[in-house]
Amino acid sequence: MKKVIFILMAVIPLIGLCQNPLFIPDTLSGASINLSLQNGQVEFYPGFTTNTIGYNQDILGKTIILEKGNEVTLNVTNNLSEATTSHWHGLHVSSENDGGPHSIIEAGQTWSPSFTVLDHAATYWYHPHLHEHTEEQVTRGATGFIIVRDDEEAQLNLPRTYGLDDFPIAIQSKAFDTNKQLFWNTAADDVIMCNGTLDAYLDAPAQVIRLRLLNGSTERVYNLGFQNNLNFHQIASDGGLLNTPVSLTRLILAPGERAEILLDLSTQQGQSIDLMSFASELSNGIYGAANPSAMPMGSIVGYNDNPLNGNDFAILQINVEASTSNPITDIPAVLINNETFLESDANTTRNLLFQPAQMGPNGMLNGPFEINGQIFDMEVINFEIPLNNTEIWELTNQTAIAHPFHIHDVQFYILNIDGNPPPANMQGRKDVVLVPPMSGTVRFITLFEDFDDEDTPYMYHCHMLSHEDEGMMGQFIVVDNNTTNINELQGNSILIYPNPVANIIHLQGLLPSTIELYNTSGQLLEKRESAGNNEQFNLAEYASGIYYFNIISSEKNNSYKVVKY
Ligand code: C2O
Ligand code: CU
Ligand code: CU
């Protein structure tokens, strides 16, 4: 009986009112780009005014067009009455320009990062990254596209006329309260919004069109496809074109991920076709499937009442109209030649373990989640990465739900997922990867080049924004070992590495302090007076598990968790 109701509810949006033209944001380009994050209002539901935020407009942001090799200055003015940051998701920029949680823009202030565009042609995006408020600000509307163009892409016979045959599509699930205000921190995200439009339709020409798909949702994963299983070709992943177009009928897109696809509508004039999420086909353990938990028990509060979960639903109705002049009518056979990294070139392998902070079925699914036994701490640098290091990161997910892992600064290539080579459409440049639940693994390889900075870290985190805000995040600095004087590593942050540790753990950047080492039962294991700067502790003799360093100085008293393996 229950099931029947769900299906009925799910069908309503399908046949329902696809009545609003898809909003296509205007573009901004040139050497100097001004963004203003401001309050807005949108009438999503007749008679109700919904409070929103957006960049230079009521909701979402203008689309930024960047040209590889050019210099750009972005002036971001915060016209809200609260702090924010502005992160360029996927761009390879210095950590100071990256807009992570340390680059706070206070209310009324302007932040002006300036950089050379080094990225490959692809679809990127920008959004706030204020610690513990990312979900809130993105949900209220702060999401914008960045399109990077380059010469290689320009050589190809691809649709690239913005708004005509080349369309940005930000897919977001949202929750509205009874007053039709947006709310967050909920599994009641039962409304689909495309580019800030409810029940959206797009008039598209009867030719090959390009859709730049972004999953800008807090938690929801989409299993994208078209009605009648119409086939499409993926041409780009997060950070660049693929080697060749990959023919697909389904594409799983997790929060933070982008995919550019070509859709051949040549023979469809006069027809309507829906972009769908075939969520009924998602395996359990993925947010959006019938059960978000890969374990037989447990769910998320409100999840089972949300008709989007485990059911197929429409995202965007595409009405096929007359073709334009000079339409693109072919799917190219080849695109570019990605130069990947060889596993044998890796200098370092790092292991990242996702675990619930609290054991038991509820913690396994609902979090908060830890990476290597730690909840995010603005004061703790989790990894120090030598400049020009080629690294393999091995992610292991010991929770009941799949997490989309994202890293700043770099694009990576996936080596394997659960031990298998990635499918063709995941063999290109990526900055987000969905890590399967229940001991699922992902290995990727990347190179940390061009930017080093001892003071400002880059982030890595789960891109389910609720998980990120709750601390499923860590930070790394990239250091040029040829120039770094360890004694200058001060700042106010204490560096503790490696963590997890097998033997020797280093504590750097200490003020004169008392250092105490405790186990989880509160037993004092070691105590040392430090004159400051660096200390080392040998944990070789201790059992595997969690330990705490209490560092007490005249200025502060902090406790740091470390994992001994
Ligand atoms: Cu899209 Cu660290 O973020
Ligand atoms: Cu990012
Ligand atoms: Cu997560």
Side-chain angles (χ1 to χ4, degrees), residues 497-558:
Y497 69 91
N499 188 11
V501 60
N503 303 306
I504 308 284
I505 191 155
H506 301 258
L507 282 58
Q508 280 184 0
L510 296 164
L511 298 167
S513 357
T514 305
I515 304 171
E516 301 169 334
L517 177 65
Y518 288 94
N519 63 17
T520 47
S521 27
Q523 208 182 350
L524 181 63
L525 305 171
E526 287 185 46
K527 182 170 178 165
R528 187 185 298 177
E529 298 298 329
S530 169
N533 288 328
N534 310 326
E535 295 290 337
Q536 298 181 7
F537 284 78
N538 187 349
L539 306 187
E541 300 298 302
Y542 294 119
S544 316
I546 290 168
Y547 294 86
Y548 298 92
F549 280 105
N550 261 1
I551 304 179
I552 306 151
S553 71
S554 55
E555 295 193 5
K556 52 183 172 184
N557 179 359
N558 277 329

Side-chain angles (χ1 to χ4, degrees), residues 122-123 156 158 208-214 222 224 226 230-254 257-264 331-336 338 414 422-432:
T123 307
L156 297 165
L158 292 171
V208 175
I209 62 164
R210 179 182 196 163
L211 302 179
R212 298 173 183 267
L213 304 166
L214 158 68
Y222 302 97
L224 300 174
F226 293 91
L230 185 69
N231 120 296
F232 58 94
H233 287 82
Q234 185 173 350
I235 56 167
S237 52
D238 300 327
L241 292 165
L242 301 170
N243 289 351
T244 57
V246 177
S247 174
L248 299 170
T249 54
R250 293 288 186 272
L251 170 61
I252 291 182
L253 204 66
E257 284 188 300
R258 289 87 64 210
E260 294 179 19
I261 64 169
L262 298 181
L263 183 64
D264 188 353
I331 309 284
V334 290
L335 298 166
I336 63 164
N338 278 293
I414 299 171
N425 65 313
M426 293 176 78
Q427 289 177 11
R429 293 161 67 84
K430 294 282 296 161
D431 58 53
V432 179

Side-chain angles (χ1 to χ4, degrees), residues 168-179:
I169 314 253
I171 307 167
Q172 296 178 304
S173 57
K174 307 261 180 176
F176 285 90
D177 66 15
T178 47
N179 297 317

